[in-house]
Amino acid sequence: MLQNRVAKADDIIKKHGLDAMLFTDMHNIRYLSGFTGTDGVLLVSAKGSCFFTDSRYTTQAENQVQCKHREYKQKISDIAGYLNSDICTGKVGIEGHDVSIAAFNELRFKCNESIDLHVVSDSNAIRAIKDNNELSQIEKSAAISCQALESILEKIHPGVTEREVALELEIASLRFGSEVKAFDFIVASGARGALPHGIASDKVLQDGDLVTIDFGSCYNGYYSDETVNFALGEIDQELYEIHDIVLKAHDMAVESVKPGVFLSEIDKIARDFIRDKGYGIYFGHGLGHGVGLEVHESPRVSPLANMQAEVGMVFTVEPGIYIPGLGGVRIEDMVVVTETGSRCLTRLPKNLRQLIN
């Protein structure tokens, strides 16, 4: 499995005309080598791969990493010294999204003139297509989220705060097997529903509130992400209408997913429908994002996306409408692109459920 993944790194090397590639993003390193620690560098070249880490992880690397590995004392100096020892000459790629300008300049200063550092901006794309093992981890994470939310429904009622709901959900997620919470859970009720990233606050839930909950779990390093909505008793009529529009936009977008379709077109289908219903100005964010070893990763699904859907891609579909002073709705599922269309990986129903105390 790891050999197949390293082949993706080789593709990056060939695409950019590199002689070698230095991976510093720990998610990419985990993907390519199996290493689960928090510090390391992976060099991939035609002469073979080498993994570097510090003394805290030497034993762990021996157990997890199959390629050659070395321990560094001074990270940048030791890596430069390794590159300078005729291991590599020519064009060496580094991950532009992960390496600071200061680190880049220090590495360039300490490398021989025969080494030309080249910034690579698309290295995260190696993780865009998931294999069957990855899909099983993501589905398990989604199953944990489903169990967790269903187990606390009776605790979502008028009189509790958004923060209390988020805490109950986090505890339940951990109890059912999540390693960590995927992110700071969004629990946005009433007028706060107009905040797309309305992190749980001390606001007290009230009768008549629409409550939006955006959360996720993590299993074996792989995340899930989904958003559901609940009505506490009877809510404003316009919120019912908004939910129906968002759900329809969500379903239309999901139905459009298939290999070869541009991700920007999937976004457009949902966006145009919401615009035609008169709410276009209230949907500002992209339709979705990839999910895997990170909650937000390649590919992006937005008007600016330039990729086409490929079999094995996993991404969210999450249209929303957010009206200041009234509230908002977002409906989110994760899907995987299949040979004939897509399959939903998240399990919670997306119809508007009414919770009556």
Side-chain angles (χ1 to χ4, degrees), residues 30 39-40 51 56 89 109 128 136 170-171 178 181 184 196 201 228 240 250 285 289 294 297 304 316-317 345 350:
R30 177 171 182 165
D39 189 80
F51 177 71
R56 296 172 299 165
T89 58
F109 176 76
S136 67
E170 179 182 351
I171 293 171
S178 181
K181 64 178 179 180
D184 289 333
S201 73
V228 293
Y240 284 117
H250 163 279
H285 59 74
H289 55 84
E294 292 182 275
E297 61 179 42
L304 301 177
T316 63
V317 174
L345 301 176
K350 296 307 183 291

Side-chain angles (χ1 to χ4, degrees), residues 1 22 73 80 136 174-175 197 215 224 289 329 338 345:
M1 180 176 65
L22 279 174
K73 303 298 183 184
S136 67
L174 295 173
R175 182 181 297 118
H197 275 193
F215 73 114
S224 62
H289 55 84
V329 172
T338 66
L345 301 176

Side-chain angles (χ1 to χ4, degrees), residues 165-239:
V165 172
L167 179 59
E168 291 288 349
L169 186 53
E170 179 182 351
I171 293 171
S173 178
L174 295 173
R175 182 181 297 118
F176 284 112
S178 181
E179 296 168 0
V180 295
K181 64 178 179 180
F183 46 85
D184 289 333
F185 294 168
I186 293 170
V187 180
S189 61
R192 290 193 74 253
L195 302 174
H197 275 193
I199 302 300
S201 73
D202 289 324
K203 178 188 175 299
V204 177
L205 272 59
Q206 301 176 13
D207 186 56
D209 277 352
L210 178 67
V211 183
T212 299
I213 300 178
D214 185 344
F215 73 114
S217 300
C218 179
Y219 184 77
N220 281 347
Y222 283 86
Y223 290 95
S224 62
D225 186 9
E226 64 184 307
T227 307
V228 293
N229 302 269
F230 298 99
L232 301 185
E234 290 296 329
I235 60 175
D236 188 284
Q237 181 61 37
E238 187 174 6
L239 291 173

Side-chain angles (χ1 to χ4, degrees), residues 73-86:
K73 303 298 183 184
Q74 297 293 327
K75 187 172 185 177
I76 294 179
S77 295
D78 290 358
I79 290 171
Y82 184 80
L83 293 174
N84 291 338
S85 61
D86 292 330

